[in-house]
Amino acid sequence: MTKLICQRILLKLSGEALMSEKGGSIDAEIVKRLATEIKELCEAGIEVGLVIGGGNILRGAQKASEGLDRVTGDQMGMLATVINALAMQDALEFLGLQVRVMSALKINQVCEDYIRRRAVRHLEKGRVVIFAAGTGNPFFTTDSAASLRAIEINAQLMIKATKVKGVYSADPEKVKDAQFYARLTYDEALDQRLNVMDTTALVLCRDNNLPMRVMNIFEQGAVMRLMQGEDIGSLIER
């Protein structure tokens, strides 16, 4: 068997990754395909933590710009991530995996409260752990939540799943000659203000020496090939 580069990862998915091209907030077929990718990782013995954004349903910062109180908007966004987490939990369980959704907000009629030690124990038992409701605090993005949870569970790698190959100097869908970065440091990403993650998330990863891979989640089998040592996407290190 091919040696794996790490045993425990944190996978960060944007909420938009779950959206249907027809405009629906959650596409069941896309969720099923992503769940299949995660199942392949679990079957190889990789412990998987997962954070899913809520932008396919609601963005708190956007609602705040439209006149809604920012704290209320962010709380609504946290609840949107719980909806996405439950959808992914259902898809993973349908494939036979054991899954736990752990929420930073107390919603224990539908999922567990987030407790770090319990989360680590779930991972050690081979369960997929989906971290929902961000950090539980307003003014923090799910990118920051993903960085925080990755550090807390001692993940060896965080994977930022996107719709493009990796990190570019500009949006490659809008700028044809945008430069692709196969390797860069967190300081370079911060100094150049590259659109990777928000500043808080990048600083958390940098200060805690957590490497990050930015890659295209829609390239089938790419995450598993990455775990087997293939150089895929962009690597950001301290």
Side-chain angles (χ1 to χ4, degrees):
M1 181 180 289
T2 305
K3 185 177 180 180
L4 302 172
I5 63 170
C6 57
Q7 184 182 358
R8 181 179 296 169
I9 65 171
L10 190 291
L11 179 62
K12 168 60 169 66
L13 287 170
S14 68
E16 287 87 343
L18 308 185
M19 291 181 68
S20 167
E21 294 181 357
K22 299 177 182 178
S25 59
I26 300 177
D27 187 313
E29 288 302 314
I30 292 176
V31 174
K32 182 179 178 181
R33 192 191 68 73
L34 293 171
T36 302
E37 298 270 336
I38 295 169
K39 180 183 180 182
E40 187 179 4
L41 297 173
C42 294
E43 289 178 338
I46 298 168
E47 298 170 2
V48 180
L50 184 62
V51 172
I52 309 174
N56 56 320
I57 299 172
L58 182 142
R59 285 186 177 277
Q62 180 180 342
K63 290 298 178 183
S65 69
E66 296 170 0
L68 188 71
D69 178 75
R70 176 62 190 269
V71 173
T72 301
D74 282 351
Q75 289 170 337
M76 292 166 66
M78 291 178 216
L79 295 176
T81 72
V82 176
I83 293 172
N84 285 339
L86 293 175
M88 182 60 72
Q89 178 187 44
D90 186 74
L92 290 166
E93 289 181 337
F94 181 80
L95 295 176
L97 297 176
Q98 293 188 20
V99 188
R100 297 292 186 272
V101 174
M102 306 191 81
S103 170
L105 296 176
K106 291 185 177 296
I107 323 175
N108 46 30
Q109 285 183 301
V110 295
C111 55
E112 296 182 20
D113 296 340
Y114 172 69
I115 300 172
R116 176 187 172 272
R117 287 179 179 271
R118 184 177 293 172
V120 171
R121 186 60 176 152
H122 286 323
L123 292 166
E124 290 172 346
K125 289 185 175 181
R127 298 165 182 158
V128 177
V129 180
I130 307 177
F131 302 104
T135 66
N137 301 292
F139 304 103
F140 289 90
T141 67
T142 50
D143 282 347
S144 294
S147 299
L148 178 61
R149 296 294 181 247
I151 294 161
E152 287 182 310
I153 65 171
N154 297 316
Q156 296 159 305
L157 177 70
M158 182 162 70
I159 300 174
K160 173 72 182 290
T162 69
K163 295 182 179 180
V164 295
K165 179 181 176 181
V167 180
Y168 288 83
S169 58
D171 187 341
E173 296 181 358
K174 297 178 181 179
V175 181
K176 292 183 179 180
D177 58 350
Q179 180 184 353
F180 171 73
Y181 298 97
R183 297 280 189 284
L184 69 160
T185 66
Y186 282 112
D187 284 335
E188 288 171 339
L190 289 163
D191 292 344
Q192 298 179 45
R193 298 185 178 181
L194 300 175
N195 188 23
V196 182
M197 280 185 158
D198 66 76
T199 302
T200 303
L202 290 172
V203 170
L204 271 172
C205 291
R206 181 195 66 187
D207 291 353
N208 291 276
N209 202 23
L210 174 68
M212 182 198 308
R213 251 328 149 159
V214 182
M215 58 178 292
N216 185 353
I217 191 62
F218 292 101
E219 183 182 339
Q220 190 167 356
V223 182
M224 190 66 241
R225 297 199 309 275
L226 173 65
M227 291 298 99
Q228 293 172 339
E230 190 171 326
D231 190 8
I232 295 174
S234 302
L235 176 63
I236 310 176
E237 295 180 298
R238 188 172 180 180

